[in-house]
Amino acid sequence: MLYTVGEMAKASGIPASTLRYYDKEGLLPFVERSSGGIRMFTHRDYEWLKVIECLKQSGLSIKDIRQFIQMARQGDESLVQRLELFRARRDAVKEQMETMRETLELLEFKCWYYEQAVEDGTEENVRSLPPDEIPEAYQNIQKKMKNIHPDGGD
């Protein structure tokens, strides 16, 4: 079955303007055109778009995605390079996730902190709490906030 840009945009959740941009940037060399020049997508193109979006979401540039497409078009001779690319992206995403987890922990702590301050009508009560009276879920982040040198050094 063939899909127009609009139909593929709806099916993939990728705006039609983005699909046109991808085509202009050389990311869709596999998409065929009708005799009238209209882009015609297949289910296989949908799969490619999902991989392109994955790479984009992982932080890969359009230029690097274009290079990946070129590698894929080379066939089996580029399998090792493509594997290396996906491993590198996976590792980068894991690092981003860890950073985001730490960010979420701090946000959770600060939400608790300000909820307590609002409830008490002052920040002073929560600021002066001894460490063991802070909920256990927030004790580590609170320690990190107070400790300039996590290794205990000066």
Side-chain angles (χ1 to χ4, degrees), residues 20-88:
R20 290 184 189 97
Y21 172 73
Y22 286 173
D23 190 34
K24 185 182 115 205
E25 289 297 316
L27 302 185
L28 305 176
F30 41 81
V31 173
E32 296 183 23
R33 291 187 181 257
S34 71
S35 58
I38 297 171
R39 294 172 192 87
M40 301 304 294
F41 293 84
T42 65
H43 184 72
R44 178 91 171 114
D45 300 330
Y46 175 84
E47 293 171 9
W48 270 104
L49 287 168
K50 288 300 184 185
V51 171
I52 290 168
E53 283 294 293
C54 171
L55 291 171
K56 182 178 150 194
Q57 289 297 318
S58 77
L60 208 61
S61 69
I62 295 295
K63 176 185 170 193
D64 291 336
I65 294 172
R66 188 180 314 112
Q67 289 176 339
F68 164 73
I69 300 286
Q70 291 168 352
M71 284 189 280
R73 294 183 84 190
Q74 291 172 354
D76 290 347
E77 70 184 66
S78 69
L79 285 173
V80 171
Q81 293 93 330
R82 287 183 277 159
L83 174 59
E84 289 170 358
L85 172 89
F86 277 91
R87 283 180 173 161

Side-chain angles (χ1 to χ4, degrees), residues 66-129:
R66 188 180 314 112
Q67 289 176 339
F68 164 73
I69 300 286
Q70 291 168 352
M71 284 189 280
R73 294 183 84 190
Q74 291 172 354
D76 290 347
E77 70 184 66
S78 69
L79 285 173
V80 171
Q81 293 93 330
R82 287 183 277 159
L83 174 59
E84 289 170 358
L85 172 89
F86 277 91
R87 283 180 173 161
R89 295 319 315 147
R90 177 195 60 198
D91 293 347
V93 167
K94 284 181 178 181
E95 286 179 27
Q96 291 169 354
M97 289 173 67
E98 178 59 23
T99 299
M100 294 305 293
R101 186 193 59 74
E102 290 172 4
T103 300
L104 180 58
E105 283 179 359
L106 178 55
L107 292 169
E108 292 285 359
F109 169 72
K110 292 309 262 184
C111 284
W112 169 81
Y113 178 96
Y114 286 111
E115 286 166 359
Q116 293 301 302
V118 167
E119 187 177 304
D120 294 345
T122 180
E123 209 175 333
E124 188 54 38
N125 293 346
V126 73
R127 184 183 300 138
S128 62
L129 277 175

